Amino acid sequence: EQLAILRQGVEVWNAWRTKYPKEPVDLRLADLRRADLSHGKFAGANLDGANLDYANLEEADLAGADMENVQADRAHMKRANLSQCRLGGVSLCEARLDEANLMGANLRDACLRRTNLSGANLERAFLAGAVLDDSKLQGANLKCGVLVRTNLAGVDFRGANLSQANLMGAYTVDTDFTGADLRETVLE
């Protein structure tokens, strides 16, 4: 029933969410490939295992959503609110997450290859075991982030805030830390 409401468009969906704000949202395993969900209200939703490949979630509110094992390659999530999301095992390869809010998000073992996270807020985010090779994180905030055993090969951290972050065991070949704030960062 909820998927049918969503398929009517994000305006109808948001109106339904406003009318029933306490209704639990269950979109597990939903096929939302190429869907336009920009500005959608999905805070606290269960999207476990959903397919969001190529979906437009620009400025969507996904705060606290459960998005474990979501497939969202090449998704457009610019300025989306993903704070406190559970994103373990998610695939966001070549996605646009520039200026997104991922504060406190759990991205354990996530695949973020060639993803644009420029200007994103990843403060206190948990990225242990994640793959971020060749991603863009210029100007991103990763203060107090956990990037233990993370693949950071070829990542662009120019001007990023990595103060107090833990990069123990991270793979950093060809990683660009030019101008990055590395105060109190654990690198080994």
Side-chain angles (χ1 to χ4, degrees):
E1 177 186 328
Q2 292 178 351
L3 189 54
I5 294 167
L6 183 56
R7 293 214 188 276
Q8 294 175 50
V10 79
E11 287 181 17
V12 172
W13 174 261
N14 286 346
W16 179 81
R17 287 287 296 195
T18 300
K19 188 173 181 179
Y20 302 102
K22 297 198 188 276
E23 182 75 25
V25 175
D26 186 354
L27 295 168
R28 285 178 291 175
L29 304 174
D31 186 353
L32 298 167
R33 283 177 287 189
R34 300 187 187 280
D36 185 357
L37 307 171
S38 60
H39 304 278
K41 296 179 181 180
F42 300 98
N46 186 343
L47 288 152
D48 277 353
N51 189 329
L52 294 164
D53 284 344
Y54 298 94
N56 181 1
L57 287 145
E58 183 170 359
E59 296 188 27
D61 184 4
L62 293 144
D66 200 348
M67 299 177 70
E68 299 271 326
N69 301 307
V70 162
Q71 183 73 30
D73 292 338
R74 296 182 181 91
H76 183 80
M77 297 180 167
K78 185 173 183 173
R79 290 188 298 277
N81 182 3
L82 295 144
S83 60
Q84 304 299 319
C85 273
R86 289 168 300 285
L87 293 153
V90 70
S91 183
L92 285 158
C93 296
E94 299 182 29
R96 296 251 347 245
L97 287 151
D98 36 326
E99 300 175 35
N101 181 4
L102 291 135
M103 185 174 194
N106 183 341
L107 290 140
R108 165 194 46 78
D109 298 325
C111 184
L112 296 152
R113 260 190 194 105
R114 296 177 300 280
T115 296
N116 186 349
L117 289 150
S118 297
N121 183 5
L122 290 139
E123 185 172 343
R124 294 191 314 275
F126 187 80
L127 292 131
V131 177
L132 286 109
D133 54 314
D134 298 316
S135 290
K136 296 177 184 173
L137 284 105
Q138 303 105 320
N141 179 14
L142 291 110
K143 183 177 181 178
C144 299
V146 177
L147 292 92
V148 175
R149 298 179 325 278
T150 301
N151 182 346
L152 302 173
V155 172
D156 185 349
F157 280 119
R158 286 179 295 164
N161 180 0
L162 288 150
S163 63
Q164 301 174 28
N166 185 346
L167 280 70
M168 187 172 289
Y171 185 71
T172 58
V173 171
D174 296 326
T175 302
D176 188 350
F177 291 106
T178 305
D181 183 349
L182 298 169
R183 286 176 292 157
E184 300 180 50
T185 301
V186 178
L187 295 168
E188 291 186 31

